[in-house]
Amino acid sequence: MTTRELDAAGIHEPALRAAYTACRRLNARHGKTYFLATRLLPVERRPAVHALYGFARWADDIVDDLDSGATPDERAHALRGLQERLDNGLRTGASTQPVIRSLIHTAAVYGIDHRHFAAFMTSMRSDLTVTGYASYEELGRYMHGSAAVIGLQMLPVLGTVGPLDEAAPYAAALGVAFQLSNFLRDVGEDLDRGRLYLPADLLAAHGVDRDYLEWSRATGRRDARITRAMQAAAAHNRCVYRTALPGLALLAPVSRPCIRTAFVLYSGILDAIEDDGYAVLHRRAVVPHGRRAAVALDGLVRALAARAAADGGRARPTRPATTAAPAPGDLARPVREEVA
């Protein structure tokens, strides 16, 4: 399948093919939900998604890998090295590092704004020193770089049925929604890393603070106040998903099944958390395999139908163009809407 993807994307130079193949392996190994959804894209668009994911995974591993044993100074040094390679590669259009080489090529082919990569690296550096957030507004400034710009990077690859600027706010919101789900699912593991992505004011509204979460994590004991705080975080996350939902219709038809599948699977994390009684401090909630398979099958049916329509000349997405980013912090603020 890798050869087919690279041939379809017009990637023929051996070193570049090897670079994209390395990114694909990263996606397959680490981003299982993301990789599953990517398989629903037309083959020629998949290598670019692998490149974007591979770079994000590399940076994230520098910051978060608990098994590496790296000290904070060593992580900071590694992240500076990645930043230098990125800056040099984007400036010169060349790199010997496979992930950077693939990213440079993808950015050039799809006209991805380099500022999105800069914003992402800013948030990664923040993770080395910032251990908590006072409010959703403060968290939103972090998530602009860690999540919203991922959606904006993806948008030119996916294509749209109208101007990219119209779809950009929805793509950014969806990136934020995905990450909020990951934050809630991984709150216990993040505490082990010394970080907390649930805003302090949300916790305080339910009579909870960080110390109490750490006590619950350490002892295995639960409390109704913690459960209510987690329920509030999930409700806010569902509101962000609803904000992003209209953007699916703005994507190129051949890309919609992929993003719809990711939408259903990631939002399904919230269902799994609810079904598990919001015990996220003590165990990771998992979307059941049967549910994942059913969603993937539905996505495949939709993808095949969309490709058949495109082959018949009934779908003509716009050419990729540079996307504009929404203001940092806008997307993670609480949405004043009740969950049905």
Side-chain angles (χ1 to χ4, degrees):
M1 181 62 74
T2 301
T3 297
R4 182 179 169 221
E5 291 174 355
L6 296 171
D7 289 345
I11 301 168
H12 302 298
E13 198 271 317
L16 187 58
R17 288 171 72 91
Y20 272 104
T21 299
C23 292
R24 187 182 188 276
R25 291 195 192 103
L26 282 173
N27 196 353
R29 185 165 65 248
H30 296 289
K32 299 191 184 302
T33 297
Y34 205 71
F35 184 72
L36 176 63
T38 301
R39 295 293 298 272
L40 300 177
L41 282 175
V43 290
E44 71 274 7
R45 304 187 191 208
R46 296 176 198 168
V49 178
H50 297 323
L52 295 172
Y53 179 89
F55 176 74
R57 181 78 246 177
W58 183 9
D60 193 60
D61 280 349
I62 290 173
V63 172
D64 280 344
D65 188 1
L66 291 175
D67 296 329
S68 71
T71 67
D73 286 345
E74 289 170 339
R75 294 179 193 276
H77 177 75
L79 206 58
R80 285 195 298 271
L82 175 57
Q83 181 76 69
E84 290 171 2
R85 285 180 166 183
L86 172 67
D87 291 344
N88 185 64
L90 292 174
R91 183 177 64 256
T92 64
S95 177
T96 58
Q97 206 293 322
V99 174
I100 298 292
R101 183 169 189 167
S102 301
L103 186 75
I104 294 166
H105 183 260
T106 290
V109 169
Y110 288 96
I112 299 173
D113 193 331
H114 293 182
R115 290 176 296 179
H116 298 333
F117 304 122
F120 173 75
M121 291 301 293
T122 296
S123 288
M124 293 302 98
R125 287 194 299 273
S126 173
D127 270 334
L128 295 177
T129 57
V130 179
T131 61
Y133 297 88
S135 64
Y136 271 121
E137 183 172 5
E138 187 176 292
L139 178 64
R141 289 191 287 271
Y142 164 79
M143 294 184 72
H144 168 73
S146 66
V149 297
I150 301 299
L152 297 174
Q153 291 170 24
M154 281 284 295
L155 195 55
V157 179
L158 299 173
T160 62
V161 294
L164 264 69
D165 284 349
E166 291 183 8
Y170 300 104
L174 189 57
V176 168
F178 287 170
Q179 190 169 61
L180 285 171
S181 296
N182 286 340
F183 285 163
L184 187 56
R185 180 195 63 194
D186 299 339
V187 62
E189 295 172 18
D190 285 331
L191 278 174
D192 294 343
R193 298 183 178 101
R195 291 198 296 273
L196 179 63
Y197 295 103
L198 298 181
D201 62 354
L202 176 140
L203 297 176
H206 297 277
V208 177
D209 60 15
R210 183 182 185 134
D211 288 342
Y212 202 61
L213 296 185
E214 290 174 344
W215 168 84
S216 178
R217 173 74 169 169
T219 64
R221 296 178 64 180
R222 299 182 59 183
D223 186 286
R225 292 170 294 176
I226 294 176
T227 298
R228 287 193 291 270
M230 300 306 168
Q231 288 172 327
H236 169 65
N237 194 173
R238 292 189 189 279
C239 287
V240 180
Y241 275 112
R242 288 198 291 274
T243 297
L245 182 59
L248 297 185
L250 302 180
L251 297 175
V254 292
S255 296
R256 287 175 201 160
C258 165
I259 303 306
R260 181 187 181 279
T261 297
F263 187 105
V264 173
L265 289 175
Y266 272 96
S267 60
I269 293 172
L270 299 179
D271 297 329
I273 290 170
E274 181 180 1
D275 292 343
D276 197 36
Y278 296 92
V280 288
L281 284 170
H282 313 296
R283 55 185 174 266
R284 172 185 275 217
V286 178
V287 178
H289 289 297
R291 172 63 172 158
R292 287 170 57 86
V295 172
L297 179 59
D298 178 71
L300 178 60
V301 171
R302 291 171 183 269
L304 293 174
R307 290 174 207 170
D311 289 342
R314 293 189 294 274
R316 290 289 184 265
T318 58
R319 284 182 63 85
T322 299
T323 56
D330 283 352
L331 294 167
R333 291 173 180 161
V335 180
R336 303 302 179 189
E337 178 181 354
E338 294 296 323
V339 177

